[in-house]
Amino acid sequence: MANIREVAKEAGVSVATVSRVLNHPEFVSPATKEQVLSIMKELDFIPNNLARGLALNKTYTIALLIPNIMNPLYPEIAKGVEDVAHKHGYNLLLCNTEQNREKEQEYLNLLMNRRVDGCIITSSLLTADELAEAGKNRVPIAVIGRPRQIPGIHCVYTDYLQGGYTATAYLIGLGYSRIAHIRGPGYLSESEDKIKGYRKALGEKGLAFDERLVIDGDNEVESGYLAAKKLLRLDPRPEAIFASNDLAAIGALDALKTEGVKVPEEMALVGFDNIKMAAFVEPKLTTISIPVYRMGLMAARLLFDAMAERVEAKVRDTQEIDLTPKLVVRKSCGHEDRIGEIFS
Amino acid sequence: MANIREVAKEAGVSVATVSRVLNHPEFVSPATKEQVLSIMKELDFIPNNLARGLALNKTYTIALLIPNIMNPLYPEIAKGVEDVAHKHGYNLLLCNTEQNREKEQEYLNLLMNRRVDGCIITSSLLTADELAEAGKNRVPIAVIGRPRQIPGIHCVYTDYLQGGYTATAYLIGLGYSRIAHIRGPGYLSESEDKIKGYRKALGEKGLAFDERLVIDGDNEVESGYLAAKKLLRLDPRPEAIFASNDLAAIGALDALKTEGVKVPEEMALVGFDNIKMAAFVEPKLTTISIPVYRMGLMAARLLFDAMAERVEAKVRDTQEIDLTPKLVVRKSCGHEDRIGEIFS
DNA sequence: CTGAAAGCGCTAACAA
DNA sequence: TTGTTAGCGCTTTCAG
C-alpha cells in the first residue's frame, strides 16, 4: 500500500497535486489527472483516512450508544441512524452500554478520544449535568429517550406518559376495572412516565390505584412471565394487564397460557413498543406503537444539522409530531367481544 | 481541548515525557508523572486517538459487515463480536450491506481507507477471489457463513446441509411424507445447502422429490406468508413445511391460521435459526438452532488471533464443534401426537 | 529518567 | 494549473 508521496514521485508531480486529484479534481488538468490516477491504480494506492482526519479534524464517524443491541427496539433505531449516516458518507460506531452508567461514561470518553464527529445516545442513564459536560467538548450529541432541556444537546423522545395513559384508558373503556401494571426498570425514566399515565387514566375514570396490582419488572420476557404468575395469585384476580413493554407482555402471555388462562377472555393484555413480534404471538398483541425507526432517523438528522452548525434544532420541533405514541388494536384485549358487553 | 504540546509546556516538560506518562508511565519519575497528570486534568486534555493511530498505524477498530441489523439473527452476531471487541479495547464499526454486492465492495474499500484493524463479514455475496483480493491488504478478515478455503481469510460456519437434513428427516420420522420446503433467497449459498439436505433426507427415506413442493422465498415473514398460501392451493396438499428460516416459518404460520389450517394437526411446520421469537408463537416453533451468538464470538476470536499474528487459525478447528446445527423440538410438528400414530 | 527531533500520511495556504 | 511547505497531534528512536 503506497502512500501519497510515492504516487507523487512515480507520477512525476508533487504531493499537492496528488492530493488535489483526490479532493479537488476540478483544479487539475485532465492530462495530469489521468496520469496520477493511473499511477494510483498501478501502485494500489489507498488514501489513509486517518491522516486525512487528522489534517481536517474530522473523522466521518458518528457513534451510537444503546443499552443492548439484542433488545429488539434498538436494531430499529440503529437502522434509522445508519441510514442517514450512510447517506452523508458517515460510518457508525456501535456501543453497547449494557444499561450501565460507568460503561456509558467510559464509552463517552473513548469517543471523545476518537474524535467522532457526533454521537447519539439512547436510554441514557447519565444526569443532565453529565450530558451537558460531555456536550461541552466540540462533539454534538443527540439524545433519544426523554425530554430534557440541556443546552447544546438535541433530543428526540416519545411521550410515554401519554402512552401509558392511552393504554390504560383503552382498557378502562373496554369495561375492565381491575387493571394491573407490569412495571419497567426503575432506572428508566420512561418506566415512571408510563406508570404516571396509568395512574392518571385510573384517576380520571374514578378507579382507585392499588399498589398490589403493580409488579416490578425489567422489560425482559422473563420478568413478564414472573410478574403474570404473581398477578394470578392475587384474589380477586386482575382482569387486565398493561405491561411496560411488549417483551414483558409476551412473557406474561406465555405465563397465562401455561396457567390455562385465556387471553383475552379471562385476562386482557396490552403491551408497549409494537415490536414486530407483537403481531405474531397468539392472540396478536394490542400495544402502544412508538415510531422507533423514525426516532433513530430524526435523531440522526438533528445530529447532522448540529454538525453542520446550521440550525440550533430545538426540542419540540414540528418534526416531532410523528413521535406521538399510538394505540394499535389487535386481539389481546378482546376488543370486539367487550364492545358487545359495553353496549349490552 | 488542549493538545500534548500545551500540556508539555504548561508542565515544564517535553512532549516526549507527556507521551510517556500516557503510554509508558513506568519509565517516568513519580514526581513528574504527578505533575503532568494534574496539568492534564487542569487543561482538560483528551489524547487524540486519530493522531495516535497515525503514528502507530493502528485504529483499535474492527468492522462488522452484515446484511441488515433489523433481521433478528444479526444483532446476536453483533453482540458476540462486540463483546470480544470491547474486551480487547476495540470499537465496532457497523455496516449494513443490504444484501448488495456493490454496497459490500464499497464498504470494504471504505474500510481499507479507514484502516480498520480487522473486519468480519457475514453472509458475504462476494466470490472467493474478491474476498482473497480484499484480504491481500494488511487487514485480517474473518467470514461468517459458509466454508471456503480462502488463504488468509478465517471462517466460521454452520453446516446448513446437515441442518436441512435434520429438519427433513425429523419430519419424515414423524410420519409425514408430503413435505414442502420454503426456500431461502438464491444468492445465499446456505439456501442451496438447506435444500440439498432436504433432498438428501427425502432420498434416503425413499421419498420422491417434487418440484411443486418447493416455493421460493427470501427469508422474510412476508414471503413465508405468501409461500404458505401457495402451498395450500396444491392438491394434494402437503402435510408438512420445512421453512428456510424462522421468519418465513412464522409468516407461514400466520397464513395457515388465517386459512383456518390447524398446526400441527393439519400441517406440521419446522423453521431454522431458533430466533427468540420462535418460542413465543403459537404453537411454539420446532426449529433448527444455530449458535449465532457463538458464531459472532468465535469469528471475533479468530480475527483477534489473526490480528495478533499469533495463530494461523484454520477452518475446522476443534472450537467449531459447537457450531453444529441442532434440532429444537417444540410444538409445531405435533411430536407427541405423531409418536402415537407411529406406534399405532 | 528526560528531551530533541524525525516521521506517520494527508491537506491547504501561499507562491509561482 | 502546479509545487513548496507548514502543520494536524502523537510516538519513538537516539542521545544525553
Side-chain angles (χ1 to χ4, degrees), chain A residues 98-174:
Chain A
E98 311 285 354
Q99 214 63 274
N100 174 326
R101 277 181 54 83
E102 281 71 45
K103 218 164 168 199
E104 198 178 329
Q105 284 274 29
E106 185 195 315
Y107 259 126
L108 229 35
N109 290 332
L110 193 62
L111 295 172
M112 297 305 142
N113 277 271
R114 304 187 63 103
R115 303 299 199 263
V116 296
D117 293 343
C119 177
I120 294 180
I121 312 182
T122 70
S123 313
S124 179
L125 261 33
L126 302 182
T127 65
D129 284 349
E130 289 169 320
L131 282 175
E133 182 58 30
K136 287 249 173 48
N137 300 304
R138 57 150 197 69
V139 182
I141 296 182
V143 172
I144 295 181
R146 63 174 144 155
R148 17 188 177 182
Q149 323 290 356
I150 307 174
I153 302 221
H154 308 290
C155 177
V156 173
Y157 68 95
T158 298
D159 189 344
Y160 291 104
L161 191 153
Q162 165 80 28
Y165 176 85
T166 304
T168 312
Y170 172 69
L171 253 12
I172 297 173
L174 253 28

Side-chain angles (χ1 to χ4, degrees), chain B residues 326-339:
Chain B
K326 242 174 45 196
L327 180 71
V328 176
V329 175
R330 286 198 273 251
K331 300 292 184 186
S332 67
C333 297
H335 181 67
E336 290 155 271
D337 302 351
R338 285 277 162 166
I339 289 289

Side-chain angles (χ1 to χ4, degrees), chain B residues 8-319:
Chain B
K9 189 162 66 183
E10 200 67 23
V13 299
S14 73
V15 292
T17 299
V18 178
S19 173
R20 260 185 225 110
V21 346
L22 250 21
N23 302 290
H24 311 286
E26 63 277 20
F27 294 146
V28 40
S29 80
T32 43
K33 185 159 53 186
E34 279 309 307
Q35 159 72 347
V36 171
L37 249 19
S38 87
I39 295 291
M40 280 183 178
K41 193 150 297 169
E42 183 183 319
L43 260 44
D44 204 14
F45 167 73
I46 301 179
N48 184 331
N49 264 338
L50 228 55
R52 185 155 196 268
L54 185 58
L56 257 35
N57 198 27
K58 227 164 166 344
T59 57
Y60 294 96
T61 304
I62 65 173
L64 175 63
L65 272 68
I66 56 181
N68 182 354
I69 189 71
M70 284 179 67
N71 179 319
L73 222 52
Y74 297 108
E76 222 166 313
I77 291 186
K79 190 60 168 40
V81 172
E82 216 250 5
D83 281 351
V84 357
H86 191 259
K87 200 174 326 178
H88 286 257
Y90 272 66
N91 276 130
L92 220 208
L93 222 39
L94 186 71
C95 310
N96 280 108
T97 61
E98 312 283 355
Q99 214 62 273
N100 174 328
R101 279 180 53 81
E102 282 70 45
K103 216 162 169 199
E104 198 177 329
Q105 284 274 28
E106 183 196 315
Y107 259 125
L108 228 37
N109 291 331
L110 192 62
L111 296 172
M112 298 305 142
N113 277 271
R114 303 188 64 103
R115 303 300 199 264
V116 296
D117 293 344
C119 176
I120 295 181
I121 312 183
T122 69
S123 314
S124 180
L125 262 32
L126 302 181
T127 66
D129 284 349
E130 289 169 320
L131 282 175
E133 182 59 31
K136 287 247 172 50
N137 300 305
R138 55 152 196 68
V139 182
I141 295 181
V143 172
I144 296 182
R146 61 175 144 153
R148 18 187 174 182
Q149 322 290 355
I150 307 174
I153 303 224
H154 308 291
C155 177
V156 173
Y157 67 95
T158 297
D159 190 344
Y160 291 104
L161 192 152
Q162 165 81 31
Y165 176 85
T166 304
T168 313
Y170 172 69
L171 253 10
I172 297 172
L174 254 27
Y176 302 106
S177 55
R178 280 187 62 75
I179 300 172
H181 176 55
I182 301 175
R183 213 184 159 118
Y187 51 76
L188 285 184
S189 68
E190 55 175 79
S191 304
E192 200 49 43
D193 291 340
K194 287 170 191 171
I195 207 168
K196 274 184 195 148
Y198 165 77
R199 295 189 69 150
K200 180 175 168 212
L202 251 31
E204 273 186 15
K205 310 288 177 170
L207 294 173
F209 171 77
D210 182 347
E211 287 269 359
R212 291 165 308 169
L213 291 179
V214 175
I215 309 282
D216 284 338
D218 65 0
N219 280 356
E220 296 292 338
V221 174
E222 291 73 14
S223 81
Y225 186 93
L226 262 23
K229 290 260 181 178
K230 275 188 206 157
L231 253 10
L232 250 21
R233 284 199 293 271
L234 255 36
D235 183 24
R237 199 198 252 180
E239 308 161 319
I241 301 175
F242 160 40
S244 177
N245 76 343
D246 289 343
L247 251 22
I250 287 166
L253 184 58
D254 203 44
L256 294 171
K257 280 181 192 166
T258 307
E259 298 287 328
V261 177
K262 288 222 161 72
V263 177
E265 293 80 353
E266 303 174 60
M267 181 78 79
L269 187 58
V270 42
F272 209 109
D273 288 347
N274 193 26
I275 61 177
K276 199 160 187 185
M277 204 159 148
F280 294 103
V281 292
E282 182 64 34
K284 297 186 196 306
L285 195 63
T286 289
T287 188
I288 301 292
S289 150
I290 57 181
V292 195
Y293 175 82
R294 292 224 49 178
M295 291 179 78
L297 205 73
M298 303 245 331
R301 285 190 188 153
L302 284 180
L303 188 68
F304 277 97
D305 280 355
M307 280 163 33
E309 287 167 331
R310 251 192 280 135
V311 199
E312 262 305 302
K314 296 210 193 73
V315 175
R316 293 197 181 283
D317 267 8
T318 44
Q319 294 192 84

